[in-house]
């Protein structure tokens, strides 16, 4: 059996790494296609090294662009690679434009698609990722769901129950596998912070960065929090901050380059709290027992809210400040947010469950 695994953006790499290993362990040939959606060293190469991902068999170099341009550039290039390789199955992960293009190019060639991280829904179709999730789930033959809620979403949308497999959260498998190595990172010393002595910030979502006023409001609110904040910048956010001339807008914030995975894990594990609009970081914070304030008005990671480790604060200054200050001053509140129940199957066996299902799928077709 032969698979094509498609990646392109930072959060894809943590999801593909355990899969590539497990496919190899089971003797399944897997070709890795990298679209080149993310291309800076700290958004791509660094993760290949840290996660021991094999060098991509095919690199498409599509780069940045509007959604239409970026996705459009990917389609013929992915198609060409799939026509040449003739895989029995294409595996896509997450919800980025590379996920959409990979799935679309594949089904049009009548190559079945497996979607890892199927069924998440924010119910906000203004989010580019929500469109990607809905389309990819509807054209996939194997849907690997991370939570029971994700399974329910798919069933409610009329997707055949037999296609859906609740396997757990693959990003958490990578996290659990990497924690020991992350402990050795010297990043905290380099940034001059101590255990539980800082908040960690990430921000890159289009809804927060495309609007000058909204981004300025968030940065100003962060500047009012009574704690040092470390803010590893996604290169897209850095460009926006420069374009809007915000340098120095938030005094308490220390902006640094985007971090590699192990350094970032070290910073996450030791933070007093996390402020983020990332999808994956909400999940990682829950598992690491670090209170998370999400700079969005909705989330597809609803299980983090239900567990009690995550609060939606949007771009609302008062909500951001009130909750951050409460974590800093109210021990009981902080403790409640950091001792939450972890969803089922968020463990080290996710890739094993996925590959087992892939093998039995192959024997059925
Ligand atoms: C993409 C995903 C988003 C995901 C995020 C993870 C889509 C629709 N969005 O958003 O779901 O959470 O990746 O990080 O796929 N840039 C660089 N260097 C790079 C990559 C990007 O400078 O290596 C800059 C470019 O100016 C680019 C901008 O970042 O225009 C946005 O990049 P893009 O891949 O379009 O979207 P992300 O915001 O990264
Ligand atoms: N991450 C990282 N360095 C950073 C910021 C994030 O390694 O500077 C990791 C983080 O630990 C998680 C993943 O990137 O595993 C999340 O990706 P991102 O926030 O870019 O995308 P999203 O999950 O929002 O799609």
């Amino acid at each position: 059996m032969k698979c094509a695994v498609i990646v392109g953006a930072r959060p894809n790499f943590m999801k593909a790494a355990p899969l590539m290993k497990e496919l190899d362990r089971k003797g399944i040939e897997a070709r890795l296609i990298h679209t080149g959606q993310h291309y800076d060293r700290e958004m791509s190469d660094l993760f290949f090294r840290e996660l021991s991902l094999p060098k991509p068999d095919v690199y498409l170099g599509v780069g940045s662009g509007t959604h239409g341009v970026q996705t459009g550039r990917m389609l013929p290039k992915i198609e060409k690679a799939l026509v040449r390789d003739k895989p029995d199955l294409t595996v896509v992960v997450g919800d980025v434009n590379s996920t959409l293009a990979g799935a679309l190019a594949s089904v049009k060639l009548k190559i079945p698609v497996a979607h890892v991280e199927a069924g998440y829904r924010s119910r906000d179709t203004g989010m580019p990722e929500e469109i990607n999730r809905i389309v990819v789930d509807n054209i996939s033959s194997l849907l690997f769901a991370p939570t029971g809620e994700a399974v329910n979403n798919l069933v409610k949308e009329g997707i055949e129950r037999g296609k859906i497999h609740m396997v757990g959260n693959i990003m958490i498998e990578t996290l659990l596998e990497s924690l020991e190595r992350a402990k050795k990172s010297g990043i905290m010393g380099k940034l001059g912070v101590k255990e539980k002595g800082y908040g960690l910030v990430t921000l890159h979502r289009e809804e927060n960065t495309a609007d000058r006023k909204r981004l300025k409001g968030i940065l100003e609110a962060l500047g009012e929090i009574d704690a040092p904040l470390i803010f590893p910048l996604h290169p897209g956010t850095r460009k926006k901050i420069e374009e809007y001339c915000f340098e120095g807008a938030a005094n308490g914030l220390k902006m640094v380059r985007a971090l590699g995975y192990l350094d970032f894990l070290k910073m996450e594990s030791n933070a007093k709290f996390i402020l983020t609009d990332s999808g994956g970081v909400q999940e990682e914070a829950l598992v690491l027992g670090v209170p998370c304030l999400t700079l969005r008005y909705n989330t597809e990671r609803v299980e983090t809210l239900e567990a009690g480790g995550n609060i939606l604060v949007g771009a609302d200054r008062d909500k951001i400040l009130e909750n951050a200050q409460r974590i800093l001053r109210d021990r009981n509140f902080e403790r409640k947010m950091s001792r939450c129940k972890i969803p089922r199957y968020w463990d080290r066996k996710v890739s094993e469950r996925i590959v087992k299902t892939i093998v039995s799928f192959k024997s059925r077709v």
Side-chain angles (χ1 to χ4, degrees), residues 9-11 37-40 43 64 67 70 95-97 128-129 204-205 234-236 239:
R10 177 167 68 186
Q37 176 173 349
H38 286 176
Y39 43 85
D40 286 346
M43 296 300 285
S64 304
H67 290 281
Q70 189 177 58
D95 56 13
V96 301
N97 286 343
E129 295 83 1
H204 68 270
R205 287 244 112 67
H234 182 297
K239 285 176 191 163

Side-chain angles (χ1 to χ4, degrees), residues 38-286:
H38 286 176
Y39 43 85
D40 286 346
R41 180 183 163 274
E42 74 260 31
M43 296 300 285
S44 178
D45 282 11
L46 202 47
F47 298 95
F48 276 74
R49 245 191 307 124
E50 291 187 326
L51 300 169
S52 306
L53 263 165
K55 196 170 167 284
D57 297 286
V58 189
Y59 185 78
L60 305 177
V62 298
S64 304
T66 59
H67 290 281
V69 166
Q70 189 177 58
T71 314
R73 269 197 223 125
M74 290 177 196
L75 283 170
K77 294 187 173 195
I78 297 175
E79 184 177 68
K80 199 169 158 197
L82 295 177
V83 166
R84 192 183 47 222
D85 287 349
K86 299 188 180 51
D88 302 294
L89 180 75
T90 298
V91 183
V92 296
V93 299
D95 56 13
V96 301
N97 286 343
S98 302
T99 317
L100 173 67
L104 204 50
S106 186
V107 284
K108 293 274 181 178
L109 291 169
K110 305 203 170 13
I111 300 167
V113 173
H115 183 207
V116 178
E117 203 183 86
Y120 272 158
R121 295 291 182 268
S122 65
R123 323 233 175 264
D124 174 3
T125 45
M127 256 184 112
E129 295 83 1
E130 183 75 352
I131 304 288
N132 294 347
R133 293 179 201 118
I134 293 169
V135 175
V136 174
D137 284 341
N138 276 277
I139 58 179
S140 292
S141 301
L142 281 174
L143 294 103
F144 294 116
T147 61
E149 190 63 31
V151 172
N152 293 342
N153 288 337
L154 295 168
V155 171
K156 270 189 230 150
E157 285 176 24
I159 291 173
E160 225 177 280
R161 189 65 186 80
K163 292 181 176 176
I164 307 167
H165 303 269
M166 157 70 171
V167 293
N169 189 327
I170 193 125
M171 204 167 204
I172 299 305
E173 175 171 347
T174 303
L175 173 99
L176 297 174
E177 290 291 334
S178 310
L179 272 180
E180 272 311 305
R181 281 190 303 139
K183 279 187 187 152
K184 297 188 191 115
S185 152
I187 188 70
M188 288 173 66
K190 271 190 215 153
L191 295 175
V193 289
K194 296 222 159 59
E195 189 184 341
K196 302 292 165 203
Y198 63 93
L200 181 68
V201 181
T202 84
L203 192 70
H204 68 270
R205 287 244 112 67
E206 204 168 272
E207 69 254 32
N208 282 329
T209 58
D211 177 356
R212 186 182 194 280
K213 207 169 143 218
R214 179 150 159 181
L215 182 57
K216 188 162 190 278
I218 294 175
L219 295 180
E220 283 173 354
L222 298 182
E224 288 185 64
I225 296 173
D226 285 335
L229 297 181
I230 304 290
F231 184 5
L233 283 177
H234 182 297
T237 309
R238 177 182 293 280
K239 285 176 191 163
K240 286 292 182 190
I241 287 176
E242 282 165 9
E243 180 191 325
Y244 301 151
C245 306
F246 285 167
E247 291 296 18
N251 300 326
L253 266 185
K254 183 167 182 164
M255 298 190 191
V256 297
R257 288 178 80 87
L259 297 175
Y261 185 62
L262 298 175
D263 283 345
F264 190 76
L265 263 194
K266 172 92 174 189
M267 291 299 290
E268 274 187 308
S269 322
N270 289 286
K272 179 86 171 164
F273 61 94
I274 293 174
L275 280 146
T276 191
D277 62 3
S278 158
V281 173
Q282 294 172 61
E283 303 174 331
E284 292 174 346
L286 183 76

Side-chain angles (χ1 to χ4, degrees), residues 290-355:
V290 179
C292 183
L293 303 179
T294 294
L295 299 158
R296 291 173 49 188
Y297 291 98
N298 55 55
T299 181
E300 58 293 330
R301 269 72 175 187
V302 286
E303 69 290 344
T304 61
L305 302 179
E306 285 156 8
N310 185 16
I311 297 173
L312 295 178
V313 292
D316 181 327
R317 175 190 167 274
D318 293 346
K319 272 199 178 157
I320 295 171
L321 275 180
E322 180 195 310
N323 285 288
Q325 305 293 46
R326 198 159 168 212
I327 293 167
L328 289 167
R329 291 182 188 140
D330 181 343
R331 284 280 293 148
N332 281 338
F333 184 69
E334 185 203 356
R335 208 171 290 145
K336 236 173 91 188
M337 285 192 78
S338 38
R339 293 187 189 162
C340 301
K341 193 164 174 275
I342 309 301
R344 184 162 172 246
Y345 288 166
W346 286 27
D347 59 20
R348 294 185 187 211
K349 293 199 180 298
V350 185
S351 59
E352 212 179 294
R353 290 183 200 106
I354 291 175
V355 173

